[in-house]
Amino acid sequence: MFGRFKDVALLLGRIGVAVVFLAHGIQKWNNGVDGTAKFFAVTGIPLPTVAAIFAMTVEILGSIAFIAGFLMPLVGVGYVVISVGALLSVHIDNGLTGQGGYELVLVLALAGLALGFNGGRLTLDHLLWGRNRARRTAEAGELQNA
């Protein structure tokens, strides 16, 4: 029974983190690639157009995948890349806390990474690959005990 609660808690955590990234992705989408790239250039992000496309892709498509639990480790790493870029280019000079501080960026990056690698069983990843992995592990255990 505890496992079910844990899986639901992980699902809720994934949804929460993904919604925040998705909201930022939609802001970038509304600004367009050019507008986002111009902002990135002003903040000193290298290859601003490539970075804008990458950020929009991870924040929109990645967040949808994260909610569904698909390719979660990849999305989690993408969240870290985007967050480190935001932290270093925009938030670092504002300190940890306060207006524009990097505490939220840091927490989102680490939560995305942790959930990306430990997202629970209520995921497409588990449905597609986890059950087969669990079956192979059980079969290997049976062979060792034989």
Side-chain angles (χ1 to χ4, degrees), residues 34-104:
D34 291 338
T36 302
K38 285 178 186 174
F39 173 74
F40 282 3
V42 168
T43 61
I45 294 175
L47 302 170
T49 301
V50 173
I53 293 168
F54 176 77
M56 292 166 73
T57 302
V58 171
E59 290 178 346
I60 295 172
L61 297 179
S63 292
I64 293 166
F66 207 65
I67 290 168
F70 185 61
L71 301 175
M72 292 187 332
L74 183 64
V75 178
V77 170
Y79 283 165
V80 169
V81 170
I82 290 167
S83 297
V84 167
L87 191 151
L88 295 176
S89 64
V90 176
H91 299 281
I92 194 77
D93 292 335
N94 299 322
L96 178 64
T97 60
Q99 185 65 30
Y102 61 85
E103 73 277 9
L104 180 61

Side-chain angles (χ1 to χ4, degrees), residues 74-138:
L74 183 64
V75 178
V77 170
Y79 283 165
V80 169
V81 170
I82 290 167
S83 297
V84 167
L87 191 151
L88 295 176
S89 64
V90 176
H91 299 281
I92 194 77
D93 292 335
N94 299 322
L96 178 64
T97 60
Q99 185 65 30
Y102 61 85
E103 73 277 9
L104 180 61
V105 174
L106 181 64
V107 168
L108 285 169
L110 297 177
L113 186 65
L115 289 166
F117 283 91
N118 302 289
R121 292 177 294 183
L122 298 177
T123 65
L124 284 176
D125 285 350
H126 179 72
L127 182 66
L128 296 171
W129 299 291
R131 290 181 177 175
N132 291 334
R133 187 178 313 121
R135 182 179 42 79
R136 285 193 308 269
T137 302

